[in-house]
Amino acid sequence: MTVVAQIGQILVDVPTMQTNDPYSYAIPAEWEHQLQAGMRVIVPFGRGHRMVDGVVVGVTDVTSFDGTLKPIEAVLDLSPVLNAELQQLADWLADETFAFRITCIQTMLPNLLKTKTEREIAPLDAITPAERATYFPDGTPRPFDPDKLDEATVAGLLKLQRAGKVTVLYHVKNQAAAKTTTGVAPLLPPDKLVEIQHAVAKRAPKQADLLAYLQGMTPSQPQPQAKVVKAAGVSSAVINTGAEKGWLEKSSLEVYRDPFHQPVKPTHPLTLNPDQAKAVAAITAAIDGDDTQNFLVEGVTGSGKTEVYLQSIAVALQQKRTALMLVPEIALTPQMVNRVKARFGEQVAVLHSGLSKGEQYDEWRRIDNGEATVVVGARSAVFAPVKNVGLIIMDEEHESSYKQDETPRYHARDVALWRGRYNHCPVVLGSATPSLETRARAAKGIYTRLVLPKRVNDRPLPTVHIVDMRAEMKSIGDSDFSTPLVAAIQARLDRKEQVVLMLNRRGYSSFVMCRDCGFVLKCPNCDISLTLHMDSHSMKCHYCGHEEAIPKVCPNCHSRKIRYYGTGTQKVETALQAQFPTARILRMDVDSTRRKGAHERILKQFGNHEADILLGTQMIAKGLDFPNVTLVGVLNADTALGLPDFRASERTFQLLTQVSGRAGRATKPGEVFIQTFNPDHYAIQLAQSQDYERFFVTEMAMRHQGSYPPYYFAVQVTASHEDEAVAAKAMYQIVAALKGDLSDQAIVLGPTPKAIARVKRKYYYQVVIKYKNEPDLKAGLEQIRQAAQIPARHGLAVTIDPEPMNFM
Ligand code: ADP
Ligand code: ZN
Ligand code: ZN
């Protein structure tokens, strides 16, 4: 019988039977006072004593113990992987997002700690010779496999860890294997290859094809075998033959390189202009003060927000505190990361999904042990284990990528605000086009508003022209480029200036628009664009379920040119090249940037003026700062307007303002052309004047009228199943149950099938509830989540999304 002095509260990870209540386990006496909250353990669970992962969330002393508790089987960490702040944050997050505590904890940990990894325990300098002799008889690090070590040894190691005498290293197997592929390069000179090609041409035509392809390759530059197979039109067997005959050489080829390991030239603080100085002073006062004060930095594009962030970070560092800076997507904002690194050098840690698990973990550890004091990263970096935080910055705070669209469905902004309160430090939300929610809170005084109304050095904002494509269509036909845009591009090519062209792919071909008058079919109940459903050949509103036939003539102008809308970047690139045969064009879209580091390469090429035109999807709208860009063209401003989403106008305004801001950032003035079928729409009109404040007022009125956020809260519940009837029935039951918890003030939209009703062989049904004050709603949703666990085993999945960003 094990002697027990303490009991551990353990959250167990059992996917089908989750609970937020921890289970009690006995802590073996040898481990007394060693186990701490935040450590991972293995415990026996259920009748079969199956071994499952768990996390310690509490430890209590006991004086008497009746012996019925199962003992903890093994400890996986010698020190907590989750500090006290993050433990509390996990509890809050679980409560806010209707997720389980264990899921939240896993979301916070680096990937490497989520997978089964090899652990090794290594002695540190502080260890005594006697301890070294006991625990490291070979003098070298030893594998740390708690299953195989006896309790006394683990207890001894736990003590050494607490005394700072040992450390645990984590290893992932086969990290290198993932990084290489087979490469192929010719071994013979081209004339020799030609000779052999002629010799084998009749007998072995495929070998001749391969030989022909090899002639065009540079001997010192191997290409991936997969590429050669495709380009030469031969099988890998033919390549093997080529290798046997000595025509080519196979080698191992590195596929990825980390884009952020290049050295960055250091920069020094710039002299601030008065608006910037005022902003930095206000943020500094808040860092100094003990009350949490939060800010909205509302600054037009090119107003120098980044310099405000950097100098504010410097203040936090001077006070021996740390700083956390969130950016929408690291891959899309390499310039921003470089600017932070250039200012703060080695103490910057960058967290992003492009790093390998090992690299991610290394950065995480540098943060955890205090080596890195400035953290830059995308959404999940908000969980970085920085301690004593002095400042949290969220750049482009309006970006929807800050909301996670899987469990836990958190918004990084809410997490940042929580951590600001915990650390008594300010949170700075920055944008040229703040989200309506944030701007409305600033209006209420919840955030202090700091305005940068002008571009740096009084550079003018670009002149924006709106091109009415309804009129243009009559002269240019189906071309994607209007006459004024073509002339403007030509002028830039003549002057050796650069052009950014954006093709908006959001909402691509999902809605029907009249090419003569720009009319978009809307729901009579919800005033939201109807979505085209090819399966049912109808137009549907997926807020309320309204359905009608696909129109053949425009209800507005009776034109027959009403059809769905959309074109691809590749097609546009071809047309653009035909229009401007000598122009050098770079294309940036999901296809051209699939490979790691491709984003940065394209941007670097463009920055070096190796191309005249950068053609891309909305991924080019963010953060680019190229002095030679004097023209921005938006080929289709309307697609996002047609999205069945109450934020469609807001997204359109934000995107147009952001992309316009890429023009004329240095000494040469900028010009923007926005091609649209809706030249009178307020989102387009106000993007032309780049008047965010007026857009805010106009859009708030629309939201008020439609009872949408920020006037109302919203929650979305979704049920999915392979059998459509099961999903629908579940959804109706959920709505019936929820209605009992709601007052007649709440607005229930649905149940209705989702816009894309069938994804990955599953049918989706949803309901959206808009509400102001519903005290019983949370408990009702909680019950639904609990009840959903049992049917989940039979393939029915229920999700609850507070403040959903994505209604598709
Ligand atoms: P934003 O993020 O608001 O769009 P940036 O921070 O990119 O603007 O600033 C635009 C440009 O102005 C950058 O090239 C930046 O280096 C420069 N800049 C910012 N602040 C100053 C300043 N106080 N003096 C001179 N140049 C500045
Ligand atoms: Zn509707
Ligand atoms: Zn029409």
Side-chain angles (χ1 to χ4, degrees):
M1 174 83 238
T2 342
V3 186
V4 171
Q6 286 184 308
I7 291 178
Q9 274 75 49
I10 313 292
L11 283 178
V12 294
D13 186 15
V14 185
T16 50
M17 272 193 58
Q18 299 204 66
T19 166
N20 278 341
D21 300 322
Y23 289 85
S24 293
Y25 283 88
I27 298 176
E30 288 92 330
W31 295 350
E32 192 182 346
H33 302 308
Q34 301 300 333
L35 233 57
Q36 299 168 54
M39 287 180 176
R40 295 169 307 147
V41 291
I42 294 175
V43 291
F45 187 78
R47 263 172 285 151
H49 284 233
R50 186 158 59 96
M51 290 301 160
V52 300
D53 288 348
V55 176
V56 183
V57 292
V59 176
T60 41
D61 290 330
V62 282
T63 43
S64 65
F65 174 62
D66 67 5
T68 57
L69 291 183
K70 294 172 193 167
I72 290 170
E73 175 75 14
V75 280
L76 291 180
D77 306 300
L78 291 187
S79 59
V81 289
L82 220 56
N83 65 34
E85 179 187 358
L86 296 180
Q87 290 170 38
Q88 273 190 41
L89 177 56
D91 292 352
W92 175 82
L93 197 64
D95 190 53
E96 281 298 292
T97 64
F98 303 96
F100 290 101
R101 283 167 79 185
I102 191 80
T103 317
C104 295
I105 288 172
Q106 281 159 348
T107 302
M108 294 175 160
L109 292 177
N111 280 320
L112 192 135
L113 295 180
K114 285 175 234 167
T115 49
K116 298 277 180 254
T117 46
E118 286 180 354
R119 284 177 301 272
E120 210 175 47
I121 184 146
L124 295 173
D125 289 347
I127 199 164
T128 65
E131 287 162 342
R132 189 186 283 272
T134 311
Y135 292 99
F136 301 96
D138 302 338
T140 50
R142 59 190 282 179
F144 178 51
D145 192 346
D147 284 338
K148 298 205 180 88
L149 296 175
D150 61 73
E151 285 168 9
T153 308
V154 172
L157 290 170
L158 280 163
K159 273 202 191 90
L160 290 180
Q161 161 79 31
R162 280 177 59 137
K165 293 176 175 177
V166 297
T167 185
V168 182
L169 308 168
Y170 298 83
H171 302 287
V172 201
K173 279 175 272 181
N174 287 335
Q175 201 59 251
K179 281 192 178 174
T180 56
T181 182
T182 306
V184 170
L187 267 182
L188 300 173
D191 54 338
K192 195 83 192 142
L193 292 167
V194 173
E195 207 174 284
I196 306 173
Q197 185 194 347
H198 289 312
V200 302
K202 279 227 175 68
R203 187 167 41 84
K206 281 288 161 194
Q207 292 180 15
D209 288 347
L210 173 63
L211 286 156
Y213 184 79
L214 290 173
Q215 290 158 31
M217 281 180 67
T218 316
S220 57
Q221 285 176 13
Q223 295 179 2
Q225 173 165 330
K227 184 182 167 191
V228 178
V229 162
K230 215 167 153 210
V234 300
S235 65
S236 9
V238 176
I239 296 205
N240 290 340
T241 309
E244 281 161 27
K245 298 201 176 209
W247 304 340
L248 59 86
E249 181 182 47
K250 283 199 184 190
S251 59
S252 153
L253 195 63
E254 271 229 354
V255 225
Y256 298 135
R257 261 177 316 168
D258 179 60
F260 296 110
H261 282 169
Q262 295 147 1
V264 188
K265 238 199 278 153
T267 61
H268 297 286
L270 301 168
T271 308
L272 299 175
N273 66 33
D275 292 322
Q276 286 175 315
K278 230 164 81 185
V280 172
I283 296 167
T284 303
I287 298 172
D288 289 339
D290 220 17
D291 290 340
T292 309
Q293 190 187 0
N294 299 319
F295 298 92
L296 164 61
V297 173
E298 187 181 320
V300 299
T301 56
S303 58
K305 292 186 287 297
T306 310
E307 191 61 30
V308 170
Y309 304 153
L310 295 177
Q311 299 205 14
S312 304
I313 291 174
V315 172
L317 295 180
Q318 274 157 21
Q319 301 196 357
K320 300 271 174 277
R321 293 168 84 179
T322 59
L324 178 58
M325 174 160 175
L326 301 172
V327 294
E329 275 161 273
I330 288 274
L332 302 187
T333 46
Q335 285 189 321
M336 182 58 100
V337 173
N338 284 341
R339 282 161 86 174
V340 180
K341 281 201 155 178
R343 191 65 57 86
F344 301 108
E346 285 298 300
Q347 51 186 330
V348 179
V350 182
L351 291 175
H352 65 101
S353 54
L355 299 177
S356 72
K357 281 180 190 169
E359 288 169 325
Q360 251 175 38
Y361 177 65
D362 287 348
E363 289 293 77
W364 186 86
R365 240 172 25 147
R366 284 180 60 221
I367 301 165
D368 194 41
N369 67 25
E371 257 174 72
T373 49
V374 180
V375 178
V376 187
R379 183 179 62 228
S380 64
V382 77
F383 301 119
V386 267
K387 287 171 211 107
N388 190 18
V389 186
L391 177 65
I392 303 175
I393 291 164
M394 191 171 194
D395 189 31
E396 310 285 10
E397 69 85 32
H398 61 277
E399 279 290 329
S400 55
S401 64
Y402 282 126
K403 173 82 193 274
Q404 172 152 301
D405 57 10
E406 57 187 53
T407 316
R409 291 164 199 275
Y410 68 94
H411 198 299
R413 192 198 294 130
D414 300 326
V415 179
L417 292 166
W418 186 95
R419 294 196 73 179
R421 285 194 296 277
Y422 185 96
N423 287 282
H424 299 283
C425 81
V427 177
V428 174
L429 307 172
S431 177
T433 53
S435 63
L436 253 68
E437 285 85 348
T438 294
R439 180 64 187 81
R441 283 189 182 178
K444 280 181 151 182
I446 299 171
Y447 307 138
T448 304
R449 193 162 153 256
L450 304 170
V451 188
L452 306 178
K454 293 193 302 274
R455 278 190 162 182
V456 165
N457 292 339
D458 287 320
R459 280 168 207 145
L461 282 167
T463 314
V464 182
H465 311 274
I466 289 181
V467 183
D468 184 348
M469 290 302 276
R470 299 170 305 186
E472 278 292 313
M473 295 293 286
K474 299 196 171 82
S475 56
I476 61 167
D478 255 344
S479 167
D480 290 309
F481 315 108
S482 62
T483 316
L485 180 60
V486 168
I489 294 173
Q490 190 58 57
R492 296 322 183 280
L493 295 176
D494 295 342
R495 294 207 296 262
K496 306 249 175 298
E497 293 169 1
Q498 287 174 292
V499 180
V500 168
L501 290 182
M502 184 179 77
L503 179 74
N504 191 356
R505 297 268 306 191
R506 262 192 84 93
Y508 180 72
S509 75
S510 63
F511 69 102
V512 163
M513 187 180 73
C514 173
R515 288 239 169 180
D516 273 332
C517 75
F519 179 82
V520 172
L521 209 55
K522 285 196 168 171
C523 174
N525 310 323
C526 308
D527 201 32
I528 291 289
S529 306
L530 295 179
T531 305
L532 179 70
H533 281 243
M534 287 313 272
D535 50 353
S536 56
H537 289 283
S538 65
M539 306 294 301
K540 282 185 192 165
C541 169
H542 73 280
Y543 277 32
C544 74
H546 171 85
E547 182 170 359
E548 58 186 79
I550 302 172
K552 292 202 170 58
V553 294
C554 172
N556 186 42
C557 75
H558 307 294
S559 156
R560 293 195 155 270
K561 281 199 199 152
I562 182 159
R563 53 179 105 125
Y564 54 101
Y565 187 71
T567 181
T569 24
Q570 245 162 324
K571 209 178 121 212
V572 173
E573 185 187 9
T574 312
L576 189 65
Q577 194 72 75
Q579 185 89 248
F580 303 100
T582 59
R584 296 165 302 166
I585 302 169
L586 279 172
R587 180 167 56 89
M588 186 143 138
D589 57 14
V590 276
D591 293 324
S592 72
T593 55
R594 219 179 287 279
R595 293 272 299 267
K596 230 189 251 183
H599 269 113
E600 239 218 345
R601 205 168 330 114
I602 295 173
L603 293 180
K604 208 168 157 183
Q605 275 176 288
F606 193 61
N608 292 340
H609 205 162
E610 289 163 34
D612 307 300
I613 303 176
L614 176 63
L615 165 70
T617 56
Q618 49 276 31
M619 61 173 72
I620 60 171
K622 285 169 212 156
L624 306 187
D625 190 17
F626 293 118
N628 199 37
V629 172
T630 59
L631 174 67
V632 166
V634 179
L635 300 180
N636 55 342
D638 307 294
T639 50
L641 271 185
L643 279 176
D645 187 329
F646 70 84
R647 290 193 180 88
S649 299
E650 182 182 357
R651 296 267 166 77
T652 299
F653 177 82
Q654 284 164 347
L655 185 64
L656 294 177
T657 309
Q658 295 289 339
V659 73
S660 300
R662 302 311 114 213
R665 292 172 73 85
T667 43
K668 300 169 194 163
E671 213 178 359
V672 179
F673 287 83
I674 295 176
Q675 301 189 154
T676 173
F677 289 93
N678 292 281
D680 303 322
H681 193 286
Y682 65 97
I684 306 253
Q685 290 273 328
L686 294 171
Q688 177 179 29
S689 47
Q690 295 163 81
D691 191 344
Y692 172 80
E693 283 301 313
R694 257 189 68 199
F695 175 78
F696 170 67
V697 172
T698 312
E699 183 65 15
M700 283 297 272
M702 307 295 279
R703 299 286 177 88
H704 188 254
Q705 210 176 0
S707 308
Y708 283 114
Y711 289 99
Y712 275 71
F713 298 108
V715 62
Q716 178 187 47
V717 185
T718 308
S720 63
H721 195 271
E722 281 185 15
D723 182 347
E724 183 167 10
V726 174
K729 191 172 156 220
M731 204 64 242
Y732 277 96
Q733 283 169 348
I734 287 170
V735 171
L738 273 178
K739 277 192 173 153
D741 299 317
L742 295 172
S743 74
D744 54 7
Q745 306 277 301
I747 302 167
V748 179
L749 301 173
T752 119
K754 283 205 142 196
I756 308 162
R758 195 164 180 231
V759 190
K760 291 188 191 142
R761 299 172 58 222
K762 280 193 163 191
Y763 288 91
Y764 288 81
Y765 274 74
Q766 70 169 25
V767 63
V768 174
I769 298 162
K770 299 190 288 185
Y771 65 99
K772 279 201 150 144
N773 184 16
E774 296 294 335
D776 300 332
L777 178 59
K778 196 158 185 177
L781 290 167
E782 197 61 51
Q783 265 179 7
I784 283 166
R785 177 175 73 139
Q786 289 296 349
Q789 286 211 62
I790 305 306
R793 289 192 231 159
H794 305 291
L796 177 73
V798 175
T799 59
I800 301 171
D801 191 357
E803 298 308 322
M805 275 290 156
N806 197 346
F807 288 81
M808 298 289 281

